[in-house]
Amino acid sequence: MRAARLIKMVLLLQSRPSMTAAELARELEVSERTVTRDAQALSEAGVPVYADRGRAGGYRLIGGYRTRLTGLARGEAEALFLSGVPGALREMGLEDAASAAHLKVSAALLPSLRDAPRTAAQRFHLDAPGWFQEPQTPELLPAIAEAVWEDRVVRVRYRRTSLGRAEEDVERELEPYGLVLKAGVWYLAAAVREADAFRVYRVDRFTAVEPGEERFTRVEGEDAFDLPAFWEERAAQFARALLRSEVVVRLTPSGVRQLPYATDPASAREALESAGDADAEGRVTVTLPVESEGVAYTQLMALGPEAEVVAPEALRERFALAARRMREWYG
């Protein structure tokens, strides 16, 4: 434990011109007295740590000292590529690995480039959770993330929900290939051994995860598992599967422009591309795939007078009723 702290202290001092005892204590999560003892121990071991006295004083390395303890471990290198999502690293239990990798990279940089991590952080940030909701970290996420990094087979219990059926727990033996963070929700892409197929699971629905000793082997080369491509395909399939109904809508030019923002963008684009020519008033009639009439009512209501529902008749009547009520309120 102390050896790791001493190495971290050297890397911190190597990556900056100087640091006060308070700054080192904060970074190392120890007391200032411990920092003083550690600095003395490094000096006795031959590391040229020099202490400047006074209010503006601190600790620094002298003589252009450079440590060679900057080689990245595999876990640190993998975590480094996720460094743009600090919240995700924290939730997966990889924050310490990323911190160590950052220090090693910073220590290896030329003095003129040492501010690169800070300037990059000022310019780029990923805020994954959606608006108006408190993100919840699934309790079993760290265990699943560890299995993903180690290619370890896991035995899981999963709370499955089906339309019109009660929830049930099922057990599966999975080869966890990758994790996806989508709008604050974690998903696992895994190969199901019993079914010999890839599936997607919501991590917050796992009720038990038991990593085994067995490790699975990832296929390399052209047939290697491509997580981004797999997720894009499954997400598109999921979105299409939700669109079980159709509505016919007549749109003004303004409604045409607003439709992709009010409904599913992909289905809106498809509907507009397959639409005929505009009528004499400049309105375009489209057949729009929707999840249900209730969802269509909520979405198309946002377009106000820029959209007229033509069919189905029940939905058209619902809009007519809403229009009469609004006329009573505003007339």
Side-chain angles (χ1 to χ4, degrees):
M1 182 68 177
R2 191 189 185 197
R5 190 175 71 242
L6 292 174
I7 293 172
K8 186 174 182 179
M9 183 175 181
V10 173
L11 292 172
L12 284 168
L13 293 174
Q14 185 173 311
S15 64
R16 307 179 193 182
S18 68
M19 295 184 69
T20 65
E23 290 172 337
L24 284 168
R26 185 167 55 252
E27 291 282 355
L28 299 172
E29 298 181 350
V30 295
S31 66
E32 292 185 29
R33 181 173 296 181
T34 299
V35 168
T36 301
R37 288 199 297 264
D38 286 352
Q40 183 177 352
L42 287 170
S43 182
E44 292 173 353
V47 178
V49 177
Y50 182 78
D52 291 314
R53 306 296 180 183
R55 179 178 298 179
Y59 293 92
R60 60 188 175 88
L61 295 175
I62 60 175
Y65 180 83
R66 306 285 295 177
T67 177
R68 296 184 180 276
L69 298 173
T70 53
L72 289 177
R74 171 172 290 275
E76 294 168 348
E78 291 171 336
L80 185 61
F81 286 100
L82 294 173
S83 57
V85 282
L89 284 168
R90 184 171 54 254
E91 293 177 7
M92 289 191 293
L94 296 173
E95 189 174 28
D96 289 342
S99 176
H102 273 168
L103 275 174
K104 292 179 178 181
V105 169
S106 297
L109 290 175
L110 294 172
S112 60
L113 299 176
R114 296 238 175 100
D115 65 341
R118 178 182 58 81
T119 57
Q122 289 174 342
R123 289 165 173 79
F124 301 100
H125 174 67
L126 176 62
D127 183 11
W131 287 100
F132 313 120
Q133 61 181 4
E134 186 68 26
Q136 299 292 328
T137 302
E139 181 180 352
L140 298 174
L141 176 61
I144 294 173
E146 184 177 358
V148 169
W149 293 122
E150 297 181 355
D151 296 337
R152 193 179 296 276
V153 177
V154 293
R155 190 77 187 176
V156 303
R157 192 160 62 247
Y158 185 77
R159 187 173 64 255
R160 184 169 63 186
T161 58
S162 301
L163 188 63
R165 296 182 182 178
E167 293 184 352
E168 60 174 340
D169 278 6
V170 295
E171 290 191 358
R172 294 284 186 269
E173 191 173 49
L174 304 178
E175 295 177 357
Y177 271 74
L179 284 163
V180 175
L181 180 59
K182 169 70 171 177
V185 180
W186 286 96
Y187 296 89
L188 173 69
V192 185
R193 287 197 156 184
E194 297 94 318
D196 191 25
F198 278 93
R199 293 178 184 170
V200 175
Y201 297 88
R202 276 187 60 145
V203 174
D204 58 4
R205 290 181 183 166
F206 285 108
T207 58
V209 175
E210 184 181 344
E213 295 298 324
E214 182 184 358
R215 298 174 189 267
F216 63 93
T217 302
R218 293 174 182 259
V219 177
E220 300 294 337
E222 294 182 358
D223 296 329
F225 179 73
D226 186 336
L227 180 59
F230 171 81
W231 176 257
E232 182 179 4
E233 179 184 353
R234 289 303 174 92
Q237 291 176 358
F238 177 75
R240 286 195 296 269
L242 290 176
L243 306 178
R244 301 185 180 93
S245 302
E246 288 184 344
V247 297
V248 180
V249 186
R250 190 176 292 120
L251 301 166
T252 66
S254 178
V256 169
R257 293 191 297 271
Q258 295 178 42
L259 186 65
Y261 302 100
T263 65
D264 176 69
S267 61
R269 285 194 299 270
E270 292 176 7
L272 291 170
E273 288 171 359
S274 60
D277 296 332
D279 61 17
E281 298 179 356
R283 297 193 299 173
V284 175
T285 300
V286 301
T287 300
L288 180 70
V290 294
E291 185 175 343
S292 66
E293 289 186 17
V295 172
Y297 175 79
T298 302
Q299 293 175 336
L300 295 175
M301 183 63 74
L303 299 180
E306 310 305 329
E308 176 196 357
V309 173
V310 178
E313 186 61 31
L315 183 60
R316 180 179 174 85
E317 291 177 358
R318 189 172 177 182
F319 271 89
L321 175 60
R324 287 194 294 271
R325 293 176 61 191
M326 292 182 71
R327 180 179 178 82
E328 292 174 1
W329 293 340
Y330 296 105

